[in-house]
Amino acid sequence: MRPPPLLVDENARLAALAEYDLVGSAPAPAFTQIVALATRLFQVPTAFVSLVDHDRQVFHAKVGLDLCETDRQVAFCSHTIAQADALVVLDATLDLRFQDNPLVTGPPHIRFYAGIPLHAPSGHAVGTLCLADTRPRISFSDADRQILRQLADLTLDRLEMRRLEVAQRASQSRFVQIASTSPDGIICADAKGHITFWNDAAEQMFGYTAAEAVGQPIDLIVPERMRGGHGGGLRRVAGGGKPRLLGKTIELPARHKDGTEFPIELSLSRWQEEGRAAFGSIVRDIRERHANEERLFRLAHLDPLTELPNRAVLRERLTEIVTAARAVSVLMFDLDGFKEINDIHGHATGDAALKAMAARLLACVRPIDTVSRLGGDEFVLLMPDIADPLRTAEVADTIIATVAEPFEHEGQTLRLSTSVGIALAPTHGESADDLLSCADLALYQAKAAGRHCHRLFTPVLRQQAQRLHTCRDEMGRAVEHGEFVLFYQPQVRLSDGALVGAEALIRWQHPERGLLAPAAFLDALDTSRYAAPVGDWVLRTACEQAVAWRNAGAPEFRMGVNLCSAQVQRGDLAETVQATLSDTGLPAAGLEVEITENIVLRHDAEVIAALHTLHEAGVGIAFDDYGTGYASLSLLKRFPLTRLKIDRSFVTGMLASHQDVTIVRAILQLGRGFDLAVIAEGIETEAEYTRLREKGCQEGQGYLFGKPMPADVFAARFGLAKEQEPDATPAAA
């Protein structure tokens, strides 16, 4: 630990500190308000105003700190007062000055620190305004420094009033002595209310020179509509009346020489002068302070773009509601399609969309409700005293319909939709964290259900979330230990039952829960950082297996591989597939990549370019589960497809449902019209097989021909040589 720098003018600095008479005194509410505001603005648990005395640091006002003082030698602030601007320590454990400091190695375990010196009018640093956290930070921006300076200005504003009030209590001579150096107006008056002293700061503040002001009634600085009261009040007190303002700091309107009115803060004192009462006042122009306070308040409480309450205000209000045991509905929603507007039309248009949506949301709620922006395109609505799911659902439907209305921006008509998750108190939780978590889970469910809808939280959503969390925690181990394996389901030609290929399907050989089907882990894998590396491993392993079986007696064998969204989103799909074909020696015709509606709809432009490249190279492209979602017929025109896959739900219902028969017939007709091959999934009976073959379906897969099976079982079943050993699951990129 490095000792703090020695200060050359230490005696003068301590004398400046003594002028405030703060060491050992109770903190004024104004200082406590400033440090509380600092914790909110910077999202830190601890903030304080520190006074650096001769051999100790005294915490005058504090939030989140149990200490009252420390030895000056260990104080971070002892370093801060030795420099002109803020001292920022992003991680104290990495800073040679502080890494073995007892305030770092022990309570309060400081990792992040930012402090700014508080300079008296003499220029000496008497203390600091500081932030602290037990967690390190990556950065502290120029904007952060500017906000810290503004908070320091507010603190110094209060400190100067304190210094002058202390001088007032000492003597008139002391009071007048400091007037020449004070940035505040110092005005003295006699028992009749006439001005006897007027310093330079008063001249700058009110526009009157000392020669113009001295001898005039004190009402000189008072707006005309309020004149008469102040001078009369002074005469009443001078005559023995009870003082109303002495010893208090109040805000009043004042008048400049040019007639401009502005707010001032005034502190009044009284003393005896040759047996007669005399008065002194400290006057401060507080326009800049009000502007700073307003700006900092808005930063701390409002989202700067939409001017809705921010996350911190939301949590406070929700906590107040549930602490009072009141019912409340929590609706969490985000904007479907916002990313596309941002990407295509630019951030300025995205910002305009957010403002428009904020205004629409406010139009849908009661005055007592709270609409808050969490960040990005996420919003939350609190409806106190409502816990009826039907009434809440009505509000959600109104919001969904309102958001969906098109809006105009710079000549463009834009559209958004929203998904809503709902949680109710006390049914779903009794704390702000629980309710927000429940609403978030319900929102996730609404998005999974197709978006543009609302969902109410149910306990099963929590169980699903816990399962996802567990899966994600175990995913790294599964990749590292090669726990993923591939199974293969045969695909046959329906005209003669001949094997034409297989679909590669992933399984998880879990060391504790045994062999897991995709339904148990695929959603967790697809949203993890391992999705793309595992997808690449599936592609490579399946291609290697196809080469082995082609060499073992099935020269036209075709391998179907499902692509995941992460592989497409990465932006190098065509290059990855072509490199895999080259490395494994599999001809392009031996691979068929399968895409789903989710991939197509979320990555339209990216997918089209990559798939055209693969299609031109000879790779087959199948649209999986066509007809089960929202994909339009236009996709068949825009995407370079080679095959449609009929979902098993239509195949299973085909024998009993006229509607399912119609859908199957329509997909087969589309295949013929667009020159696309068609394969049916989920064929389990001879009757289904016969019906599909009669209707002209070329290929099929399902339990009738074989369940998904390991490579060695597949090879034995279809008379192929033993497969090559597949690579282990690759480590994550």
Side-chain angles (χ1 to χ4, degrees):
M1 185 182 77
R2 294 182 181 175
L6 296 174
L7 302 180
V8 176
D9 54 352
E10 178 65 2
N11 289 335
R13 192 194 69 80
L14 292 173
L17 174 61
E19 289 184 354
Y20 295 92
D21 191 27
L22 282 174
V23 177
S25 66
F31 292 115
T32 304
Q33 291 166 5
I34 290 171
V35 295
L37 181 62
T39 61
R40 183 192 294 273
L41 284 167
F42 291 98
Q43 296 294 298
V44 294
T46 304
F48 50 88
V49 172
S50 164
L51 304 173
V52 183
D53 204 356
H54 180 267
D55 56 3
R56 59 179 175 155
Q57 164 187 234
V58 178
F59 301 113
H60 181 65
K62 57 187 179 178
V63 170
L65 190 66
D66 293 331
L67 297 171
C68 294
E69 62 179 65
T70 70
D71 187 281
R72 181 171 169 178
Q73 290 299 306
V74 303
F76 282 59
C77 300
S78 296
H79 295 261
T80 305
I81 63 171
Q83 55 188 61
D85 200 6
L87 169 66
V88 177
V89 181
L90 298 176
D91 188 344
T93 62
L94 303 178
D95 192 309
L96 294 177
R97 294 170 295 179
F98 306 111
Q99 60 186 190
D100 56 350
N101 188 301
L103 301 178
V104 175
T105 59
H109 297 288
I110 294 174
R111 293 288 296 278
F112 164 73
Y113 168 91
I116 188 165
L118 302 173
H119 290 102
S122 62
H124 298 98
V126 296
T128 60
L129 171 67
C130 305
L131 316 168
D133 200 342
T134 55
R135 297 176 299 177
R137 285 206 176 187
I138 298 175
S139 64
F140 195 75
S141 68
D142 290 341
D144 291 332
R145 289 176 181 268
Q146 181 59 30
I147 292 172
L148 189 59
R149 291 187 194 104
Q150 290 177 321
L151 287 169
D153 288 343
L154 291 179
T155 307
L156 287 167
D157 196 66
R158 268 59 173 193
L159 281 173
E160 181 61 14
M161 288 297 291
R162 169 74 179 194
R163 186 175 78 94
L164 296 178
E165 288 166 4
V166 170
Q168 280 180 310
R169 295 198 300 265
S171 67
Q172 180 192 7
S173 60
R174 177 59 178 154
F175 183 61
V176 173
Q177 179 185 343
I178 68 169
S180 59
T181 62
S182 175
D184 295 317
I186 307 296
I187 304 173
C188 297
D190 60 20
K192 295 180 180 180
H194 291 101
I195 297 171
T196 60
F197 180 81
W198 184 270
N199 74 343
D200 291 342
E203 179 177 328
Q204 293 177 8
M205 192 180 305
F206 294 103
Y208 296 100
T209 65
E212 292 173 311
V214 172
Q216 295 294 319
I218 193 68
D219 281 346
L220 180 72
I221 66 172
V222 178
E224 291 187 12
R225 67 183 185 280
M226 302 175 64
R227 289 183 175 179
H230 294 279
L234 296 182
R235 289 192 295 272
R236 182 180 56 79
V237 173
K242 185 177 180 181
R244 297 173 185 169
L245 302 181
L246 291 180
K248 298 179 181 178
T249 300
I250 59 170
E251 290 189 16
L252 296 170
R255 181 182 181 275
H256 190 273
K257 181 180 180 180
D258 64 10
T260 304
E261 289 192 19
F262 60 98
I264 62 170
E265 187 176 70
L266 181 143
S267 176
L268 187 66
S269 61
R270 178 183 60 177
W271 58 80
Q272 292 294 315
E273 204 170 280
E274 298 179 357
R276 290 173 295 183
F279 300 90
S281 60
I282 307 165
V283 183
R284 170 162 295 180
D285 182 342
I286 56 175
R287 282 176 289 189
E288 185 176 351
R289 181 205 293 176
H290 278 184
N292 268 340
E293 288 176 340
E294 172 67 14
R295 179 176 180 275
L296 293 173
F297 176 88
R298 297 181 76 81
L299 281 173
H301 297 84
L302 301 181
D303 169 57
L305 178 65
T306 63
E307 297 194 341
L308 294 175
N310 61 16
R311 182 188 297 268
V313 174
L314 169 76
R315 291 178 59 83
E316 283 185 7
R317 292 186 183 175
L318 184 53
T319 299
E320 289 173 2
I321 292 169
V322 296
T323 301
R326 295 167 62 189
V328 64
S329 295
V330 180
L331 289 77
M332 182 177 291
F333 42 97
D334 64 11
L335 302 176
D336 304 323
F338 175 73
K339 182 179 184 300
E340 287 74 13
I341 286 180
N342 235 4
D343 292 346
I344 296 171
H345 300 285
H347 291 291
T349 302
D351 289 348
L354 291 173
K355 291 179 181 178
M357 294 306 109
R360 292 185 181 186
L361 294 172
L362 289 173
C364 295
V365 303
R366 305 170 300 168
I368 66 169
D369 296 336
T370 298
V371 178
S372 169
R373 181 184 176 212
L374 294 188
D377 62 341
E378 287 190 317
F379 298 81
V380 170
L381 166 62
L382 302 183
M383 298 195 299
D385 306 317
I386 295 179
D388 179 359
L390 295 178
R391 187 175 173 189
T392 305
E394 290 176 359
V395 175
D397 286 333
T398 300
I399 290 173
I400 290 170
T402 301
V403 169
E405 295 175 4
F407 68 97
E408 301 290 329
H409 177 69
E410 296 184 348
Q412 302 176 92
T413 300
L414 303 173
R415 289 178 172 82
L416 289 167
S417 63
T418 188
S419 306
V420 186
I422 302 171
L424 309 175
T427 305
H428 299 143
E430 296 182 351
S431 73
D433 286 340
D434 286 346
L435 290 168
L436 291 172
S437 174
C438 291
D440 188 41
L441 291 171
L443 172 61
Y444 183 85
Q445 180 69 13
K447 294 175 77 67
R451 308 186 178 199
H452 194 61
C453 64
H454 61 77
R455 289 292 182 269
L456 181 68
F457 173 80
T458 60
V460 69
L461 296 180
R462 177 75 67 195
Q463 296 168 7
Q464 292 173 352
Q466 290 171 343
R467 178 182 60 79
L468 278 174
H469 181 72
T470 300
C471 278
R472 289 194 183 104
D473 285 347
E474 296 176 333
M475 204 68 70
R477 184 206 64 211
V479 170
E480 183 179 347
H481 294 172
E483 295 173 7
F484 291 117
V485 295
L486 289 187
F487 276 37
Y488 302 88
Q489 186 169 32
Q491 297 175 332
V492 303
R493 189 168 53 236
L494 296 186
S495 61
D496 58 4
L499 178 72
V500 294
E503 180 180 1
L505 300 166
I506 193 170
R507 298 290 187 268
W508 184 352
Q509 188 64 58
H510 197 282
E512 297 168 1
R513 290 181 281 156
L515 188 68
L516 301 180
F521 65 87
L522 205 55
D523 49 357
L525 176 60
D526 284 344
T527 55
S528 75
R529 66 187 180 92
Y530 303 108
V534 171
D536 292 345
W537 169 82
V538 169
L539 176 66
R540 177 172 294 274
T541 304
C543 288
E544 289 174 349
Q545 190 63 74
V547 170
W549 285 336
R550 277 176 164 245
N551 293 335
E556 302 300 319
F557 192 91
R558 183 189 70 232
M559 182 65 74
V561 177
N562 294 280
L563 296 178
C564 70
S565 181
Q567 287 173 290
V568 174
Q569 197 171 26
R570 194 173 54 191
D572 62 351
L573 176 63
E575 294 82 357
T576 299
V577 172
Q578 290 174 321
T580 302
L581 292 175
S582 176
D583 292 346
T584 60
L586 180 66
L591 174 65
E592 183 173 81
V593 294
E594 299 187 10
I595 59 174
T596 62
E597 182 181 89
N598 282 342
I599 291 177
V600 168
L601 295 181
R602 292 180 186 177
H603 310 292
D604 195 341
E606 301 163 357
V607 170
I608 290 177
L611 294 184
H612 270 295
T613 300
L614 295 177
H615 183 267
E616 291 168 3
V619 175
I621 301 168
F623 197 154
D624 200 6
D625 301 338
Y626 184 74
T628 60
Y630 301 92
S632 66
L633 292 174
S634 64
L635 290 175
L636 302 182
K637 292 171 55 179
R638 292 188 291 122
F639 279 77
L641 303 174
T642 58
R643 191 182 311 276
L644 296 178
K645 300 192 76 172
I646 302 176
D647 186 67
R648 62 175 300 171
S649 62
F650 302 135
V651 173
T652 301
M654 185 176 55
L655 298 180
S657 168
H658 173 70
Q659 289 88 348
D660 285 334
V661 171
T662 301
I663 291 173
V664 170
R665 185 185 299 120
I667 295 174
L668 290 168
Q669 184 61 40
L670 285 171
R672 286 189 286 270
F674 283 93
D675 195 24
L676 302 175
V678 179
I679 183 171
E681 297 180 300
I683 301 174
E684 297 185 358
T685 67
E686 288 287 348
E688 292 167 352
Y689 175 19
T690 302
R691 190 78 174 268
L692 286 164
R693 183 178 58 195
E694 290 174 349
K695 290 188 176 298
C697 185
Q698 300 103 326
E699 296 180 5
Q701 68 185 85
Y703 285 5
L704 180 65
F705 312 113
K707 296 180 180 181
M709 60 193 81
D712 57 346
V713 176
F714 189 100
R717 171 85 173 266
F718 293 99
L720 302 173
K722 185 178 180 181
E723 83 290 350
Q724 296 176 343
E725 288 293 327
D727 294 338
T729 308

